[in-house]
Short mmCIF file of all heavy atoms in Angstrom, two decimals:
data_model
loop_
_atom_site.label_atom_id
_atom_site.label_comp_id
_atom_site.label_asym_id
_atom_site.label_seq_id
_atom_site.Cartn_x
_atom_site.Cartn_y
_atom_site.Cartn_z
N TYR A 9 119.60 -18.50 -61.37
CA TYR A 9 118.91 -17.25 -61.06
C TYR A 9 117.71 -17.51 -60.14
O TYR A 9 117.07 -16.60 -59.60
CB TYR A 9 118.40 -16.49 -62.26
CG TYR A 9 119.56 -15.99 -63.14
CD1 TYR A 9 119.48 -16.30 -64.51
CD2 TYR A 9 120.63 -15.35 -62.59
CE1 TYR A 9 120.52 -15.79 -65.35
CE2 TYR A 9 121.65 -14.87 -63.42
CZ TYR A 9 121.60 -15.13 -64.81
OH TYR A 9 122.59 -14.71 -65.62
N PHE A 10 117.39 -18.80 -59.89
CA PHE A 10 116.24 -19.18 -59.08
C PHE A 10 116.34 -18.55 -57.67
O PHE A 10 115.37 -17.95 -57.14
CB PHE A 10 116.12 -20.67 -58.98
CG PHE A 10 114.72 -21.20 -59.02
CD1 PHE A 10 114.03 -21.45 -60.23
CD2 PHE A 10 113.98 -21.41 -57.86
CE1 PHE A 10 112.75 -21.88 -60.29
CE2 PHE A 10 112.72 -21.83 -57.84
CZ PHE A 10 112.06 -22.08 -59.09
N PRO A 11 117.51 -18.70 -56.99
CA PRO A 11 117.57 -18.10 -55.58
C PRO A 11 117.44 -16.58 -55.62
O PRO A 11 116.89 -15.99 -54.72
CB PRO A 11 119.03 -18.49 -55.18
CG PRO A 11 119.31 -19.71 -55.97
CD PRO A 11 118.69 -19.51 -57.33
N LEU A 12 117.91 -15.92 -56.71
CA LEU A 12 117.74 -14.48 -56.87
C LEU A 12 116.24 -14.09 -56.90
O LEU A 12 115.82 -13.16 -56.27
CB LEU A 12 118.43 -13.95 -58.10
CG LEU A 12 118.30 -12.47 -58.42
CD1 LEU A 12 118.81 -11.59 -57.28
CD2 LEU A 12 118.95 -12.11 -59.76
N ALA A 13 115.51 -14.90 -57.64
CA ALA A 13 114.05 -14.63 -57.73
C ALA A 13 113.40 -14.79 -56.39
O ALA A 13 112.51 -14.03 -56.00
CB ALA A 13 113.41 -15.65 -58.74
N ILE A 14 113.77 -15.79 -55.61
CA ILE A 14 113.24 -16.01 -54.27
C ILE A 14 113.51 -14.83 -53.33
O ILE A 14 112.65 -14.41 -52.63
CB ILE A 14 113.81 -17.32 -53.67
CG1 ILE A 14 113.33 -18.58 -54.44
CG2 ILE A 14 113.44 -17.46 -52.18
CD1 ILE A 14 113.94 -19.80 -54.02
N VAL A 15 114.78 -14.33 -53.42
CA VAL A 15 115.14 -13.17 -52.54
C VAL A 15 114.34 -11.95 -52.89
O VAL A 15 113.76 -11.25 -52.04
CB VAL A 15 116.63 -12.89 -52.68
CG1 VAL A 15 116.99 -11.60 -51.99
CG2 VAL A 15 117.45 -14.05 -52.11
N ILE A 16 114.16 -11.65 -54.23
CA ILE A 16 113.39 -10.50 -54.69
C ILE A 16 111.97 -10.63 -54.28
O ILE A 16 111.31 -9.65 -53.80
CB ILE A 16 113.55 -10.30 -56.19
CG1 ILE A 16 115.04 -10.08 -56.62
CG2 ILE A 16 112.71 -9.11 -56.62
CD1 ILE A 16 115.23 -10.08 -58.08
N GLN A 17 111.42 -11.83 -54.49
CA GLN A 17 109.99 -12.03 -54.10
C GLN A 17 109.77 -11.90 -52.59
O GLN A 17 108.77 -11.42 -52.16
CB GLN A 17 109.47 -13.39 -54.64
CG GLN A 17 108.04 -13.57 -54.36
CD GLN A 17 107.43 -14.78 -55.05
OE1 GLN A 17 108.10 -15.42 -55.90
NE2 GLN A 17 106.22 -15.18 -54.69
N ALA A 18 110.71 -12.37 -51.85
CA ALA A 18 110.58 -12.27 -50.36
C ALA A 18 110.54 -10.81 -49.98
O ALA A 18 109.77 -10.42 -49.09
CB ALA A 18 111.78 -13.00 -49.70
N MET A 19 111.41 -9.96 -50.57
CA MET A 19 111.39 -8.55 -50.25
C MET A 19 110.09 -7.92 -50.65
O MET A 19 109.51 -7.13 -49.87
CB MET A 19 112.59 -7.85 -50.98
CG MET A 19 113.96 -8.20 -50.45
SD MET A 19 115.19 -7.07 -51.09
CE MET A 19 114.99 -7.22 -52.87
N LEU A 20 109.60 -8.23 -51.86
CA LEU A 20 108.37 -7.63 -52.33
C LEU A 20 107.20 -8.05 -51.48
O LEU A 20 106.37 -7.24 -51.06
CB LEU A 20 108.12 -8.11 -53.81
CG LEU A 20 106.76 -7.70 -54.38
CD1 LEU A 20 106.73 -6.15 -54.52
CD2 LEU A 20 106.55 -8.34 -55.73
N THR A 21 107.10 -9.37 -51.15
CA THR A 21 105.98 -9.88 -50.35
C THR A 21 106.01 -9.29 -48.98
O THR A 21 104.93 -8.89 -48.43
CB THR A 21 106.04 -11.42 -50.29
OG1 THR A 21 106.18 -11.90 -51.65
CG2 THR A 21 104.81 -12.00 -49.68
N ALA A 22 107.19 -9.20 -48.35
CA ALA A 22 107.26 -8.62 -47.00
C ALA A 22 106.89 -7.15 -47.04
O ALA A 22 106.18 -6.68 -46.17
CB ALA A 22 108.72 -8.80 -46.47
N GLY A 23 107.35 -6.43 -48.05
CA GLY A 23 107.04 -5.05 -48.13
C GLY A 23 105.55 -4.76 -48.29
O GLY A 23 104.96 -3.89 -47.59
N VAL A 24 104.89 -5.45 -49.18
CA VAL A 24 103.44 -5.34 -49.36
C VAL A 24 102.71 -5.80 -48.08
O VAL A 24 101.69 -5.15 -47.69
CB VAL A 24 102.96 -6.13 -50.59
CG1 VAL A 24 101.39 -6.01 -50.74
CG2 VAL A 24 103.61 -5.62 -51.86
N GLY A 25 103.16 -6.86 -47.53
CA GLY A 25 102.48 -7.34 -46.26
C GLY A 25 102.59 -6.34 -45.13
O GLY A 25 101.59 -6.08 -44.43
N LEU A 26 103.79 -5.72 -44.96
CA LEU A 26 103.94 -4.70 -43.90
C LEU A 26 103.10 -3.49 -44.21
O LEU A 26 102.75 -2.74 -43.29
CB LEU A 26 105.45 -4.31 -43.85
CG LEU A 26 106.37 -5.39 -43.29
CD1 LEU A 26 107.83 -4.99 -43.43
CD2 LEU A 26 106.10 -5.59 -41.73
N LEU A 27 102.80 -3.17 -45.46
CA LEU A 27 102.01 -2.04 -45.83
C LEU A 27 100.46 -2.37 -45.62
O LEU A 27 99.75 -1.48 -45.06
CB LEU A 27 102.19 -1.76 -47.31
CG LEU A 27 101.54 -0.51 -47.90
CD1 LEU A 27 102.07 0.75 -47.22
CD2 LEU A 27 101.85 -0.42 -49.42
N VAL A 28 100.04 -3.56 -45.92
CA VAL A 28 98.65 -3.94 -45.87
C VAL A 28 98.22 -4.21 -44.43
O VAL A 28 97.13 -3.75 -43.99
CB VAL A 28 98.39 -5.13 -46.79
CG1 VAL A 28 97.00 -5.70 -46.46
CG2 VAL A 28 98.49 -4.78 -48.23
N ALA A 29 99.03 -4.99 -43.70
CA ALA A 29 98.60 -5.50 -42.37
C ALA A 29 98.12 -4.38 -41.40
O ALA A 29 97.02 -4.51 -40.84
CB ALA A 29 99.72 -6.23 -41.73
N PRO A 30 98.81 -3.28 -41.21
CA PRO A 30 98.39 -2.27 -40.30
C PRO A 30 97.19 -1.45 -40.81
O PRO A 30 96.31 -1.07 -40.09
CB PRO A 30 99.57 -1.37 -40.04
CG PRO A 30 100.43 -1.55 -41.26
CD PRO A 30 100.19 -2.96 -41.67
N LEU A 31 97.15 -1.26 -42.17
CA LEU A 31 96.08 -0.39 -42.75
C LEU A 31 94.75 -1.11 -42.63
O LEU A 31 93.70 -0.43 -42.49
CB LEU A 31 96.42 -0.09 -44.20
CG LEU A 31 97.64 0.81 -44.43
CD1 LEU A 31 97.84 1.05 -45.89
CD2 LEU A 31 97.50 2.12 -43.67
N VAL A 32 94.72 -2.47 -42.68
CA VAL A 32 93.48 -3.20 -42.57
C VAL A 32 92.84 -3.00 -41.23
O VAL A 32 91.63 -2.99 -41.11
CB VAL A 32 93.66 -4.69 -42.88
CG1 VAL A 32 92.43 -5.51 -42.59
CG2 VAL A 32 94.06 -4.89 -44.36
N VAL A 33 93.67 -2.77 -40.18
CA VAL A 33 93.13 -2.56 -38.85
C VAL A 33 92.29 -1.33 -38.79
O VAL A 33 91.24 -1.29 -38.10
CB VAL A 33 94.35 -2.44 -37.85
CG1 VAL A 33 93.81 -2.03 -36.46
CG2 VAL A 33 95.09 -3.75 -37.79
N PHE A 34 92.67 -0.28 -39.55
CA PHE A 34 91.89 0.99 -39.56
C PHE A 34 90.77 1.04 -40.61
O PHE A 34 89.80 1.65 -40.43
CB PHE A 34 92.84 2.17 -39.83
CG PHE A 34 93.99 2.19 -38.85
CD1 PHE A 34 95.30 1.96 -39.28
CD2 PHE A 34 93.81 2.48 -37.49
CE1 PHE A 34 96.34 2.01 -38.42
CE2 PHE A 34 94.86 2.52 -36.61
CZ PHE A 34 96.16 2.22 -37.08
N PHE A 35 91.00 0.29 -41.73
CA PHE A 35 90.06 0.32 -42.82
C PHE A 35 89.71 -1.16 -43.12
O PHE A 35 90.32 -1.82 -43.94
CB PHE A 35 90.64 0.97 -44.03
CG PHE A 35 91.25 2.34 -43.77
CD1 PHE A 35 92.64 2.51 -43.69
CD2 PHE A 35 90.42 3.44 -43.58
CE1 PHE A 35 93.15 3.73 -43.43
CE2 PHE A 35 90.99 4.69 -43.30
CZ PHE A 35 92.33 4.87 -43.25
N ARG A 36 88.66 -1.72 -42.49
CA ARG A 36 88.33 -3.12 -42.56
C ARG A 36 87.93 -3.51 -43.98
O ARG A 36 88.17 -4.67 -44.37
CB ARG A 36 87.29 -3.45 -41.56
CG ARG A 36 87.64 -3.21 -40.08
CD ARG A 36 88.84 -4.02 -39.62
NE ARG A 36 89.29 -3.63 -38.36
CZ ARG A 36 88.88 -4.15 -37.18
NH1 ARG A 36 87.97 -5.10 -37.16
NH2 ARG A 36 89.41 -3.76 -36.05
N ASP A 37 87.40 -2.58 -44.75
CA ASP A 37 87.00 -2.88 -46.15
C ASP A 37 88.20 -3.16 -46.99
O ASP A 37 88.08 -3.72 -48.10
CB ASP A 37 86.20 -1.74 -46.73
CG ASP A 37 84.78 -1.65 -46.13
OD1 ASP A 37 84.34 -2.63 -45.51
OD2 ASP A 37 84.17 -0.57 -46.26
N LEU A 38 89.42 -2.79 -46.51
CA LEU A 38 90.59 -2.95 -47.34
C LEU A 38 90.90 -4.52 -47.50
O LEU A 38 91.45 -4.84 -48.52
CB LEU A 38 91.76 -2.29 -46.63
CG LEU A 38 93.14 -2.33 -47.40
CD1 LEU A 38 92.95 -1.62 -48.73
CD2 LEU A 38 94.23 -1.62 -46.55
N GLU A 39 90.38 -5.28 -46.59
CA GLU A 39 90.65 -6.74 -46.70
C GLU A 39 89.93 -7.25 -47.96
O GLU A 39 90.56 -8.03 -48.76
CB GLU A 39 90.11 -7.50 -45.50
CG GLU A 39 90.33 -8.99 -45.53
CD GLU A 39 89.81 -9.68 -44.34
OE1 GLU A 39 89.47 -9.03 -43.33
OE2 GLU A 39 89.73 -10.94 -44.32
N ARG A 40 88.74 -6.82 -48.25
CA ARG A 40 88.05 -7.27 -49.45
C ARG A 40 88.58 -6.61 -50.67
O ARG A 40 88.72 -7.21 -51.79
CB ARG A 40 86.56 -6.89 -49.35
CG ARG A 40 85.81 -7.66 -48.27
CD ARG A 40 84.33 -7.35 -48.29
NE ARG A 40 83.60 -8.11 -47.30
CZ ARG A 40 82.28 -8.05 -47.09
NH1 ARG A 40 81.58 -7.25 -47.85
NH2 ARG A 40 81.72 -8.81 -46.14
N ALA A 41 89.05 -5.34 -50.54
CA ALA A 41 89.71 -4.63 -51.69
C ALA A 41 90.98 -5.38 -52.07
O ALA A 41 91.30 -5.46 -53.29
CB ALA A 41 90.00 -3.22 -51.30
N VAL A 42 91.73 -5.83 -51.13
CA VAL A 42 93.02 -6.55 -51.39
C VAL A 42 92.69 -7.81 -52.18
O VAL A 42 93.42 -8.19 -53.13
CB VAL A 42 93.81 -6.90 -50.13
CG1 VAL A 42 94.88 -7.91 -50.39
CG2 VAL A 42 94.34 -5.60 -49.51
N LYS A 43 91.64 -8.56 -51.82
CA LYS A 43 91.24 -9.74 -52.56
C LYS A 43 90.99 -9.48 -54.00
O LYS A 43 91.34 -10.21 -54.95
CB LYS A 43 90.10 -10.45 -51.85
CG LYS A 43 90.43 -11.08 -50.52
CD LYS A 43 89.22 -11.75 -49.89
CE LYS A 43 89.57 -12.33 -48.55
NZ LYS A 43 88.34 -12.98 -47.88
N LEU A 44 90.22 -8.31 -54.22
CA LEU A 44 89.90 -8.00 -55.61
C LEU A 44 91.14 -7.57 -56.39
O LEU A 44 91.29 -7.88 -57.58
CB LEU A 44 88.92 -6.81 -55.62
CG LEU A 44 87.51 -7.12 -55.13
CD1 LEU A 44 86.65 -5.81 -55.04
CD2 LEU A 44 86.80 -8.16 -56.04
N ILE A 45 92.03 -6.84 -55.73
CA ILE A 45 93.31 -6.40 -56.35
C ILE A 45 94.15 -7.63 -56.72
O ILE A 45 94.73 -7.69 -57.82
CB ILE A 45 94.05 -5.48 -55.44
CG1 ILE A 45 93.35 -4.14 -55.27
CG2 ILE A 45 95.47 -5.17 -56.02
CD1 ILE A 45 93.88 -3.23 -54.25
N LEU A 46 94.21 -8.60 -55.83
CA LEU A 46 94.97 -9.83 -56.09
C LEU A 46 94.39 -10.60 -57.29
O LEU A 46 95.11 -11.16 -58.09
CB LEU A 46 95.02 -10.73 -54.83
CG LEU A 46 95.91 -10.24 -53.72
CD1 LEU A 46 95.77 -11.08 -52.48
CD2 LEU A 46 97.39 -10.23 -54.14
N ARG A 47 93.03 -10.62 -57.33
CA ARG A 47 92.38 -11.29 -58.45
C ARG A 47 92.72 -10.63 -59.80
O ARG A 47 93.01 -11.28 -60.82
CB ARG A 47 90.90 -11.34 -58.26
CG ARG A 47 90.10 -12.23 -59.20
CD ARG A 47 88.66 -12.27 -58.86
NE ARG A 47 88.42 -12.71 -57.49
CZ ARG A 47 87.28 -12.68 -56.88
NH1 ARG A 47 86.23 -12.21 -57.49
NH2 ARG A 47 87.17 -13.10 -55.66
N PHE A 48 92.69 -9.28 -59.77
CA PHE A 48 93.06 -8.51 -60.98
C PHE A 48 94.52 -8.76 -61.29
O PHE A 48 94.91 -8.92 -62.49
CB PHE A 48 92.80 -7.04 -60.76
CG PHE A 48 93.43 -6.13 -61.82
CD1 PHE A 48 92.85 -5.98 -63.07
CD2 PHE A 48 94.63 -5.48 -61.51
CE1 PHE A 48 93.42 -5.16 -64.00
CE2 PHE A 48 95.21 -4.67 -62.45
CZ PHE A 48 94.65 -4.51 -63.72
N LEU A 49 95.42 -8.74 -60.28
CA LEU A 49 96.80 -8.91 -60.43
C LEU A 49 97.19 -10.23 -61.05
O LEU A 49 98.17 -10.37 -61.83
CB LEU A 49 97.57 -8.69 -59.13
CG LEU A 49 99.08 -8.51 -59.20
CD1 LEU A 49 99.44 -7.30 -60.03
CD2 LEU A 49 99.65 -8.34 -57.78
N PHE A 50 96.38 -11.27 -60.75
CA PHE A 50 96.66 -12.58 -61.29
C PHE A 50 96.66 -12.54 -62.86
O PHE A 50 97.50 -13.08 -63.53
CB PHE A 50 95.65 -13.59 -60.83
CG PHE A 50 95.74 -14.95 -61.45
CD1 PHE A 50 96.65 -15.87 -60.98
CD2 PHE A 50 94.93 -15.29 -62.58
CE1 PHE A 50 96.75 -17.11 -61.54
CE2 PHE A 50 95.07 -16.51 -63.17
CZ PHE A 50 95.96 -17.44 -62.65
N TYR A 51 95.60 -11.91 -63.35
CA TYR A 51 95.51 -11.83 -64.84
C TYR A 51 96.39 -10.74 -65.44
O TYR A 51 96.73 -10.81 -66.63
CB TYR A 51 94.06 -11.55 -65.23
CG TYR A 51 93.19 -12.71 -64.90
CD1 TYR A 51 92.31 -12.69 -63.77
CD2 TYR A 51 93.13 -13.86 -65.71
CE1 TYR A 51 91.51 -13.76 -63.44
CE2 TYR A 51 92.36 -14.94 -65.35
CZ TYR A 51 91.53 -14.92 -64.25
OH TYR A 51 90.76 -15.98 -63.93
N ALA A 52 96.75 -9.78 -64.64
CA ALA A 52 97.67 -8.70 -65.16
C ALA A 52 99.14 -9.14 -65.07
O ALA A 52 100.00 -8.38 -65.56
CB ALA A 52 97.46 -7.42 -64.29
#
């Protein structure tokens, strides 16, 4: 199932990346907000 996990994670990471990348251009504070969210997500 390891390759399946890689495929699912690639889809998820690409989707979140495509969502975040353009929005940061308009809302620069979002870069710091993403770091905080990632820190919370690590423990969650």
Side-chain angles (χ1 to χ4, degrees):
Y9 296 130
F10 218 87
L12 175 61
I14 292 173
V15 171
I16 300 173
Q17 183 170 349
M19 289 193 303
L20 175 66
T21 309
V24 176
L26 290 169
L27 185 63
V28 167
L31 294 181
V32 171
V33 174
F34 305 112
F35 310 102
R36 300 298 171 91
D37 287 343
L38 186 58
E39 181 177 350
R40 294 184 178 182
V42 167
K43 290 181 179 178
L44 290 176
I45 292 171
L46 287 172
R47 190 176 302 170
F48 167 79
L49 192 59
F50 174 84
Y51 293 102

